[in-house]
Amino acid sequence: MAYDRFAQPYDTDRVLNPDKTLNTTAYAEYSPLYIPVSFVMTYLIAFILTTAMVVATILDHGKEILRAMKPRDTEDDDVHARLMRKYPEVPGLWYAAVLLVSLGLAIAAVKIVDVKTPVWALFFAVILSFSTVIPGSYIYSCSGNVASPNLMVELIGGSIWHGQPITVMVFKTFTVQWLQSGLAFTENLKLGHYLKIPPRCTFITQLMAAVVVTAFQIALQEWIFSAVPDLCEEDQRGNLTCPDVKVFYTASIIW
């Protein structure tokens, strides 16, 4: 939660223009932004984690990554790889088709809904997520924790689109979700590798699941918004106060 100089929850309506961009004059007249020490420490650790993730991957696994890029006949296959050779790999065109369709839907979304996000920001999000998927995969495989660079993405987005919180958070959402989806898909491919599930079956299953879950989540979200009274309010009867959403909202204020 972010606070103003009166120790009250920060009222963003007082510092935003009608188009949801920052009004610097109103901001100066109202109050600077204050966040708790716990939030500051979380941000500190997150910034350390982002750079440490990349550096550790290069130092500890750099040679391994370069060796994996060489032709496969330079290293003997283990028993799992030899058994999986019986199944055809997923063609690169399948991945390219999913990327193009996903980008097309994303572009349509930012054009149809007025989120003030340029199309090139989506391509930039793809580049950022792609550049962190290998370090993120190593951290995830060793620790079981997803090292998401969302703070660094917020910093980059806030520097490019200063005073445009909606644009920054849309950019962050696409970058982080593409990275996390890539990690989840890699995890499932690895699990399928050890269970001897054909890669194409895993690919098709993941694709179908993504479509079904997306439709179900949207329908469920719309139902909750219409059926649950006082959703996300502090005094909500069922304690549906949306803490994760409030953290996301606070980040939009900060950056």
Side-chain angles (χ1 to χ4, degrees):
M1 180 68 74
Y3 299 92
D4 58 21
R5 58 193 174 99
F6 307 106
Q8 299 297 318
Y10 203 87
D11 186 1
T12 55
D13 292 335
R14 297 180 59 175
V15 298
L16 292 178
N17 294 313
D19 61 352
K20 302 301 180 183
T21 57
L22 178 65
N23 186 323
T24 54
T25 302
Y27 176 81
E29 294 175 351
Y30 172 39
S31 170
L33 184 71
Y34 296 91
I35 57 177
V37 174
S38 58
F39 225 118
V40 174
M41 293 302 299
T42 301
Y43 274 19
L44 173 63
I45 295 173
F47 280 123
I48 294 174
L49 175 63
T50 302
T51 52
M53 176 178 66
V54 177
V55 173
T57 300
I58 295 174
L59 295 180
D60 295 342
H61 307 287
K63 293 181 179 179
E64 184 179 350
I65 294 173
L66 293 176
R67 187 170 61 251
M69 294 180 179
K70 296 179 180 179
R72 292 182 176 179
D73 56 6
T74 59
E75 184 176 351
D76 293 335
D77 289 336
D78 60 13
V79 61
H80 301 287
R82 289 197 300 271
L83 291 172
M84 289 298 289
R85 293 283 183 217
K86 298 180 181 295
Y87 301 119
E89 289 289 342
V90 178
L93 289 176
W94 290 19
Y95 290 105
V98 172
L99 175 61
L100 291 176
V101 171
S102 300
L103 271 175
L105 293 174
I107 292 172
V110 299
K111 285 296 185 181
I112 295 174
V113 183
D114 185 20
V115 291
K116 302 175 179 61
T117 302
V119 172
W120 65 265
L122 301 178
F123 290 92
F124 189 26
V126 171
I127 294 173
L128 281 179
S129 59
F130 181 77
S131 64
T132 54
V133 70
I134 292 180
S137 297
Y138 272 108
I139 299 298
Y140 189 32
S141 63
C142 295
S143 65
N145 296 312
V146 177
S148 176
N150 59 331
L151 264 296
M152 190 61 66
V153 173
E154 291 171 359
L155 176 62
I156 295 173
S159 300
I160 298 175
W161 299 285
H162 182 68
Q164 302 179 53
I166 295 179
T167 304
V168 174
M169 301 319 288
V170 169
F171 172 70
K172 168 193 170 180
T173 300
F174 276 109
T175 305
V176 174
Q177 289 303 317
W178 275 335
L179 170 61
Q180 293 183 347
S181 297
L183 292 179
F185 179 68
T186 304
E187 177 188 18
N188 290 331
L189 277 181
K190 190 66 174 180
L191 179 62
H193 180 81
Y194 288 121
L195 294 176
K196 309 302 176 290
I197 299 175
R200 294 189 179 187
C201 291
T202 304
F203 180 91
I204 294 173
T205 302
Q206 286 286 98
L207 188 61
M208 294 175 61
V211 174
V212 172
V213 169
T214 299
F216 181 79
Q217 284 187 335
I218 293 175
L220 180 61
Q221 173 184 285
E222 293 298 320
W223 176 79
I224 291 177
F225 285 160
S226 61
V228 179
D230 302 323
L231 186 65
C232 297
E233 298 293 336
E234 292 293 340
D235 56 350
Q236 208 283 328
R237 185 176 60 180
N239 291 325
L240 298 177
T241 56
C242 312
D244 289 341
V245 176
K246 290 179 179 177
V247 172
F248 190 90
Y249 172 73
T250 302
S252 72
I253 302 175
I254 296 172
W255 301 108

